[in-house]
Amino acid sequence: VQLQASGGGLVQAGGSLRLSCAAVGSIFNINIFGWYRQAPGKERELVASITAGGRTNYPDSVKGRFAISRDNAKKMVWLQMNSLKPEDTAVYYCNAEGVRTDYERFDDWGQGTQVTVSS
């Protein structure tokens, strides 16, 4: 399964960005979509996740500022990021866990998209 992420860029503090990710391949279903980020010198961390039923999860660092959404039919996920801070600067990765049409499970990552927030 391939994940194609887009939407990163440079924005001033307080601004907004919207990331998109499309899952392409022989997909039976996607159980969980997630967005992760990795800043230089830091470990990759979860930013947001959403189940097929729409249950979401956010760490405290982004709660109230970021919103994840998905379209099950289109196999797409979005991350709306508002009130961005310089500490949100990182490479953002899309992740999907699910089942392929051959009934094998998958857990795949997108290529990453850079988000830079200037102060």
Side-chain angles (χ1 to χ4, degrees):
V1 174
Q2 292 186 342
L3 298 177
Q4 301 168 350
S6 61
L10 173 64
V11 65
Q12 288 188 333
S16 298
L17 282 174
R18 189 181 192 222
L19 305 183
S20 301
C21 178
V24 180
S26 301
I27 301 168
F28 180 69
N29 67 9
I30 299 173
N31 295 323
I32 299 177
F33 266 122
W35 285 99
Y36 291 73
R37 67 186 179 189
Q38 187 166 20
K42 295 187 176 182
E43 293 186 354
R44 190 173 296 189
E45 62 175 355
L46 176 69
V47 174
S49 66
I50 185 167
T51 67
R55 186 172 68 227
T56 59
N57 180 48
Y58 306 94
D60 288 343
S61 58
V62 307
K63 199 170 292 184
R65 300 189 298 122
F66 290 12
I68 189 171
S69 59
R70 65 186 283 171
D71 184 317
N72 290 331
K74 295 181 179 179
K75 298 182 178 59
M76 291 190 67
V77 64
W78 297 270
L79 183 68
Q80 178 66 42
M81 303 184 293
N82 300 323
S83 302
L84 283 161
K85 305 175 181 180
E87 51 263 43
D88 294 318
T89 295
V91 177
Y92 284 69
Y93 297 91
C94 175
N95 172 265
E97 298 177 32
V99 179
R100 297 197 310 246
T101 53
D102 61 1
Y103 302 109
E104 291 294 322
R105 299 186 65 84
F106 68 88
D107 181 356
D108 291 322
W109 295 85
Q111 80 280 14
T113 183
Q114 177 70 46
V115 171
T116 303
V117 184
S118 63
S119 57

